[in-house]
Amino acid sequence: MMTKQVITRGNPSVSHCAFTFDDGPMRIPIDAWLDALEQGGACGTFFLTGEWFDRYPAKAREMLARGHELTTHTYHHRRMADVTKAVFFEELKIAELAYQEATGRPAPTFMRFPYASYREENLEWLREWKYLVVEGEDTVDWSGPPSAQLVERVLPKLINGSIFMFHANEIAKETPQAVKSLVLHTHAKGLALVPVSELLHANGISTGERRWQVRFRPTLLGSFHNEQWEYVAGDYELRKLAADSLEWGNPKAPTGSGAYNKWLQELSTQVRSDGETRFVARSFADQYWAYVRASVHGGALVLEDYATKEAHADALIYILQWAAYEASTLGCEWITSTQDMRRIHKLCEQLGFEAEIVLQEG
């Protein structure tokens, strides 16, 4: 069964299928599910809660790098048929924000309702945000069956275009073992295991995405120390910044052998001479404590990339103060960022800056 908005299977004329996994385990690692797929050269699509993205952002980025597909499953795993329209959209929005902040990517506009709990009215609300709902064959692994029973249940349904709904949580502990076996059976039947988006594309269905940004008006504070900020342009500054910032634990920085040279090269590409981009660093006590790359677009100062030596939110205030000073000097009406949106919004609220989180146009 399939409607234009609720997808339950792919194209029956194409030899592929999709394994999907709901929730995201909060108390045990997700690696068992990843290993089960990857041992057979397969990838999965994971419908994860916003809470999971907030708790495991590094793992989310790692999963994407390993070829898996991630999307949302509400923020708090609510029964969405029971909530008001305001709560419904709040759950979607903060799940999207968690996804974007964790991965650095816009959130895909296909999701799955927890417990398959939704009403026709909920689908009408989803249409306002151009969302698709992906369902499929319920493997019933949410009840925690033995792996052999799970394999027996799924095997007869391994056909072209099938979508299987598994879980990645503390109850479905037997699922990884079953998936290892099922991946082999899938190959034996000549079926490719593909991400849901690829399965949908083969059915003529395209998926969209949504990106948010926080924006705030530049407000000057008396405590700002402009003398601590300097342009990063020369070879010495670049090398020092690369060495200093590599020790910050920045998730964007490489690790392992050759990390310094890779990071130096990456930072070097951020230095432009187009007159619109600023690459600056905060120097204090003979060390760099932060860097920012920003550019001017449409009357706004856009914070394209930044990092701080200290991980706590208060360290961002130095960046917000620099951005407010720079934007005021340039006559920009807004400062925008697609990183740390909720933290920046809260800090702006505390600082008395006018701020809002809005959907990014285009």
Side-chain angles (χ1 to χ4, degrees), residues 346-357:
K346 176 54 70 175
L347 288 171
C348 286
E349 183 181 272
Q350 293 175 351
L351 291 167
F353 293 4
E354 179 185 345
E356 57 185 351
I357 296 176

Side-chain angles (χ1 to χ4, degrees), residues 65-107:
R66 289 164 69 168
H68 301 285
E69 183 169 62
L70 312 184
T71 189
T72 56
H73 194 48
T74 76
Y75 188 86
H76 293 106
H77 202 268
R78 295 294 308 276
R79 292 185 182 273
M80 297 294 269
D82 299 337
V83 304
T84 65
K85 187 173 184 179
V87 172
F88 184 93
F89 281 118
E90 180 185 34
E91 282 289 315
L92 262 61
K93 178 181 176 179
I94 56 178
E96 289 181 353
L97 292 175
Y99 178 99
Q100 184 177 325
E101 290 178 348
T103 67
R105 301 183 183 187

Side-chain angles (χ1 to χ4, degrees), residues 65-184:
R66 289 164 69 168
H68 301 285
E69 183 169 62
L70 312 184
T71 189
T72 56
H73 194 48
T74 76
Y75 188 86
H76 293 106
H77 202 268
R78 295 294 308 276
R79 292 185 182 273
M80 297 294 269
D82 299 337
V83 304
T84 65
K85 187 173 184 179
V87 172
F88 184 93
F89 281 118
E90 180 185 34
E91 282 289 315
L92 262 61
K93 178 181 176 179
I94 56 178
E96 289 181 353
L97 292 175
Y99 178 99
Q100 184 177 325
E101 290 178 348
T103 67
R105 301 183 183 187
T109 52
F110 64 94
M111 55 91 72
R112 180 172 293 153
F113 287 109
Y115 313 106
S117 170
Y118 64 92
R119 296 174 281 117
E120 184 61 35
E121 187 179 31
N122 299 144
L123 298 180
E124 294 174 9
W125 297 346
L126 276 185
R127 280 193 283 273
E128 296 180 25
W129 284 16
K130 298 181 173 60
Y131 257 87
L132 297 173
V133 177
V134 176
E135 296 291 334
E137 294 283 351
D138 184 2
T139 65
V140 199
D141 70 336
W142 47 264
S143 64
S147 60
Q149 182 180 324
L150 192 53
V151 170
E152 184 179 353
R153 181 180 296 142
V154 171
L155 264 180
K157 300 175 181 178
L158 272 176
I159 58 175
N160 287 4
S162 52
I163 300 172
F164 293 96
M165 298 190 299
F166 297 98
H167 286 77
N169 62 25
E170 289 73 13
I171 296 173
K173 292 179 180 178
E174 292 281 310
T175 295
Q177 187 61 39
V179 167
K180 285 182 185 179
S181 175
L182 288 168
V183 168
L184 297 178

Side-chain angles (χ1 to χ4, degrees), residues 183-230:
V183 168
L184 297 178
H185 284 292
T186 301
H187 293 328
K189 289 191 173 190
L191 296 173
L193 271 168
V194 300
V196 161
S197 59
E198 184 175 330
L199 184 142
L200 295 178
H201 183 74
N203 221 14
I205 301 171
S206 59
T207 58
E209 55 188 27
R210 289 163 53 88
R211 182 187 291 272
W212 295 86
Q213 66 177 359
V214 62
R215 66 179 187 176
F216 59 97
R217 294 196 185 273
T219 305
L220 296 180
L221 299 177
S223 58
F224 174 61
H225 296 284
N226 185 46
E227 71 280 0
Q228 292 182 354
W229 290 87
E230 60 186 48

Side-chain angles (χ1 to χ4, degrees), residues 30 48 56 62 67 79 136 217 282 285 299 344:
I30 200 170
L48 303 169
Y56 302 109
E62 178 190 327
R79 292 185 182 273
R217 294 196 185 273
R282 176 175 175 255
I344 289 176

